[in-house]
């Protein structure tokens, strides 16, 4: 019996259709050269030098990602937003906290793109790259007039765009973070969620991107965290099965 070998998509049909249509639209907007561009890895080859989490490091990440995404850094103004102010409380009181606040913002001012990055994002390089990539995605979609800010799905579409531009490892790994700290007799748990896609959606988005690039077993998958990597593998199995039976 092969019932246990059933291959299903890791996302709901409405999410699957949206991801596939959006990926096809990205190809029409940015071309096949971009589709087959580098997948950026969290390695020294892509981010050389010592990282200290300073504002200068945020600027360096911004400029590096501008180069990768073919955006002139001179057209982007960078602002620094204050960090969340509830972290000191956790140093004294055992709490379970969950955060879903925006880690950055984008707006148009005098025809220029202005992006703001929260200071505490610099403490987490993976999340910082994901946030900067998302905000630069707004430059390409909103700043260049490809979509309107009134488009209902413009935020999740921008997250999906980071995958298309080879930055999905960072976005997927930053989607959910859980940490626990022990101080004396107390234990402190903190869970944070960033971005607008679920882990299964990131996984299937990465799978669809790999499939369009003819990567049935992408080597870069080893840099993904456990959950998004599992959803990626499941998505690739589904796509291979769908091609065989279709």
């Amino acid at each position: 019996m092969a019932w246990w070998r059933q291959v299903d998509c890791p996302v709901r049909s409405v999410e699957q259709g949206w991801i596939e249509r959006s990926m096809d639209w990205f190809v029409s907007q940015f071309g096949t050269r971009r589709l087959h561009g580098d997948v950026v890895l969290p390695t020294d080859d892509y981010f050389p030098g010592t990282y200290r989490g300073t504002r200068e490091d945020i600027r360096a990440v911004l400029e590096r990602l501008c180069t990768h995404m073919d955006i002139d850094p001179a057209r982007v103004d960078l602002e620094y937003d204050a960090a969340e102010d509830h972290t000191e409380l956790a140093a004294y009181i055992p709490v379970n906290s969950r955060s879903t606040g925006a880690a950055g913002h984008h707006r148009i001012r005098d025809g220029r793109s202005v992006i703001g990055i929260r200071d505490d994002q610099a403490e987490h390089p993976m999340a910082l790259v994901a946030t900067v990539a998302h905000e630069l995605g707004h430059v390409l979609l909103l700043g260049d007039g490809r979509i309107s800010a009134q488009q209902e799905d413009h935020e999740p579409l921008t997250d999906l765009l980071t995958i298309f531009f080879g930055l999905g490892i960072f976005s997927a790994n930053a989607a959910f973070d859980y940490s626990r700290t022990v101080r004396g007799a107390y234990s402190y748990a903190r869970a944070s969620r960033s971005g607008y896609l679920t882990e299964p959606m990131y996984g299937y988005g990465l799978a669809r991107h790999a499939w369009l690039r003819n990567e049935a077993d992408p080597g870069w998958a080893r840099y993904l965290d456990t959950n998004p990597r599992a959803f990626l593998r499941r998505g690739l199995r589904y796509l291979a099965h769908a091609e065989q039976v279709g």
Side-chain angles (χ1 to χ4, degrees):
M1 294 181 65
W3 59 269
W4 59 276
R5 291 182 177 270
Q6 180 178 352
V7 180
D8 59 350
C9 187
V11 295
R12 299 176 302 162
S13 60
V14 63
E15 295 166 341
Q16 176 189 352
W18 177 82
I19 289 170
E20 292 176 359
R21 289 191 304 273
S22 299
M23 281 290 180
D24 290 344
W25 184 74
F26 292 154
V27 175
S28 72
Q29 290 292 307
F30 300 102
T32 55
R33 182 189 67 83
R34 171 54 65 181
L35 169 66
H36 294 283
D38 282 353
V39 171
V40 178
L41 307 177
T43 65
D44 289 341
D45 290 338
Y46 289 92
F47 298 96
T50 302
Y51 182 84
R52 299 181 177 86
T54 64
R55 288 186 170 182
E56 289 74 17
D57 288 331
I58 296 177
R59 168 64 68 177
V61 168
L62 172 69
E63 292 179 354
R64 185 166 295 275
L65 293 190
C66 279
T67 299
H68 174 75
M69 299 174 75
D70 295 327
I71 298 172
D72 182 358
R75 60 177 291 208
V76 179
D77 293 330
L78 176 62
E79 295 180 343
Y80 303 97
D81 297 334
E84 290 184 333
D85 58 5
H86 60 71
T87 53
E88 291 184 1
L89 181 65
Y92 303 98
I93 302 175
V95 295
N96 292 315
S97 63
R98 178 176 296 274
S99 173
T100 56
H105 70 258
H106 170 272
R107 70 180 187 274
I108 304 295
R109 182 178 64 198
D110 299 328
R112 294 173 56 81
S113 282
V114 180
I115 69 172
I117 304 296
R118 239 178 36 211
D119 280 332
D120 57 343
Q121 285 297 102
E123 300 172 7
H124 309 283
M126 185 76 69
L128 173 64
V129 174
T131 300
V132 174
H134 178 90
E135 302 309 330
L136 290 178
H138 282 316
V139 176
L140 295 172
L141 296 179
L142 298 176
D144 288 346
R146 288 185 169 92
I147 64 172
S148 165
Q150 281 65 53
Q151 183 170 318
E152 187 175 354
D153 68 344
H154 83 271
E155 289 288 8
L157 189 69
T158 306
D159 270 350
L160 194 65
L161 184 68
T162 66
I163 295 176
F164 184 79
F165 270 76
L167 292 156
I169 291 171
F170 298 89
S171 300
N173 286 353
F176 181 79
D177 180 67
Y178 177 84
S179 60
R180 180 174 292 276
T181 303
V182 177
R183 294 191 182 96
Y186 297 109
S187 177
Y188 310 86
R190 177 177 174 81
S192 63
R193 180 179 182 275
S194 65
Y196 297 85
L197 304 180
T198 64
E199 286 184 313
M201 292 177 74
Y202 274 116
Y204 189 66
L206 288 160
R208 187 67 183 181
H209 185 233
W211 194 254
L212 290 173
R213 290 160 53 93
N214 299 314
E215 293 179 304
D217 185 22
W220 45 260
R222 68 181 184 273
Y223 292 96
L224 288 166
D225 289 345
T226 300
N227 283 354
R229 184 170 67 249
F231 289 122
L232 162 68
R233 298 297 188 195
R234 185 172 154 191
L236 287 171
R237 288 196 300 271
Y238 169 80
L239 289 167
H241 176 75
E243 183 177 71
Q244 290 173 358
V245 301

